[in-house]
Amino acid sequence: MIVVTGATGNVGRELVGALAAAGEKVTAVSRQPARQPEGVEHRQADLSEPAGLRGAFDGADALFLLVAGENPQAILDAAKAGGVRRFVEQTREEARAQMSRVMPAPVVEGTLAILGTPSAAEQQVSPDVERLLGRPARSFADWAARNLAAFR
């Protein structure tokens, strides 16, 4: 099973739909109840209280952490405790690119401004990827297209 946080946002909604259409078992996590594609389980949860997410991770193999709240490490710890072993986190740049496809630039920048500046840990992800792999980090969309079969 694959868990998607931020499942009702612009990127999450599309990702949940694509995974469900590909036949994946998906649990969509968001703060508010929302209609999901057929076969998708929805869990209402507040990411600022990661302990409340534990049930969503039970039996999950993978987590798409599109929204991480104030304490992403606590969410990752809860996911690991639930058995999740594969993690994908969306970067700020990827969020900007995805939102720009459907929203005017001032709305995109306003939304990112509300979300605040990435933490030091978030800012470190791309340089670490480049240092370890010897190439720049690829986009989330590229990664998802190449690796969807790995989640089956």
Side-chain angles (χ1 to χ4, degrees):
M1 175 189 41
I2 301 170
V3 176
V4 179
T5 64
T8 57
N10 291 319
V11 176
R13 187 177 326 113
E14 295 295 322
L15 177 60
V16 168
L19 291 168
E24 299 298 330
K25 184 176 178 187
V26 180
T27 297
V29 177
S30 65
R31 282 181 293 181
Q32 302 298 321
R35 175 183 270 173
Q36 298 295 328
E38 187 173 330
V40 173
E41 179 182 349
H42 179 264
R43 292 287 183 108
Q44 188 172 343
D46 184 344
L47 298 179
S48 67
E49 299 176 18
L53 292 167
R54 289 200 176 111
F57 297 132
D58 290 342
D61 301 309
L63 168 63
F64 281 88
L65 190 61
L66 302 183
V67 176
E70 294 289 321
N71 189 351
Q73 188 60 53
I75 295 169
L76 294 173
D77 291 344
K80 289 176 188 175
V84 176
R85 296 292 171 247
R86 293 182 277 185
F87 302 88
V88 178
E89 183 176 9
Q90 181 178 16
T91 67
R92 186 177 187 86
E93 289 76 25
E94 186 64 26
R96 177 180 282 118
Q98 294 289 335
M99 288 189 293
S100 294
R101 292 185 1 207
V102 296
M103 300 166 69
V107 174
V108 171
E109 294 309 318
T111 301
L112 292 173
I114 290 168
L115 297 175
T117 304
S119 69
E122 291 169 326
Q123 292 176 17
Q124 188 60 42
V125 171
S126 289
D128 280 351
V129 169
E130 189 164 355
R131 181 176 47 78
L132 291 171
L133 300 181
R135 62 163 175 75
R138 293 184 180 136
S139 76
F140 172 77
D142 290 343
W143 182 93
R146 283 192 325 275
N147 291 288
L148 181 59
F151 287 94
R152 293 186 175 174

